[in-house]
Amino acid sequence: MIRVLLADDQHLIREALAMMLEFEEDLTVVAQCGRGDEVLTAVAAHQPDVIVLDIEMPGLDGLSVAERLPGRAMLILSTFARPGHLRRAIAAGVRGFIPKDSSSTELATAIRRIHAGGRYLDPELAASAMMAGESPLTDRERDALALAAGGASVAEIAGRLHLSEGTVRNYLSNAITKLGAANRITAIHHAQRMGWI
């Protein structure tokens, strides 16, 4: 049996996935988590063979969880199939990434392939990621833009990143220019759509 841990903050979706996977003769769901910060404890307690993670979860997002579990067989199942998310997932060692609108058969196939040591990437998402290229933002530009997306002022961003306000303004201005945006809001929307923040 392939032991699976499911992590998704939407209870109904998580329960439905668990029920569908239990119909498979070789798969069993050993744990379910509704928050990203619960996954690390559940992995230690249940030792799953494959971890299926949603990206958007409270506590820790699925990509942050994946970065904390190197060497584990992991699959991202997400509504938000963005090129930047795929690149970050692969960098974290995730071996599979499929959209939530995939069939239960495709999910089961992906779990089996990942358990066997292979990879399973949605072909459309892989093509989009290749065409989109790397994020043009530096780490600091991305951090500043992400904090701005959360509603932080320049002064608050400066405090959180331990930078001067002038430096923060420069990072935000550089991000706007690199993304070909008219203003900070447009830059934030573009970076979020691409999965860069």
Side-chain angles (χ1 to χ4, degrees), residues 152-166:
S153 68
V154 169
E156 291 169 330
I157 295 169
R160 290 187 196 173
L161 297 180
H162 307 290
L163 301 169
S164 72
E165 289 182 30

Side-chain angles (χ1 to χ4, degrees), residues 6 8 10-18 20 77 79 100:
L6 288 175
D8 192 307
Q10 296 178 7
H11 185 77
L12 185 62
I13 290 174
R14 191 175 67 247
E15 288 290 325
L17 288 173
M20 288 187 297
L77 179 67
T79 304
K100 276 190 179 178

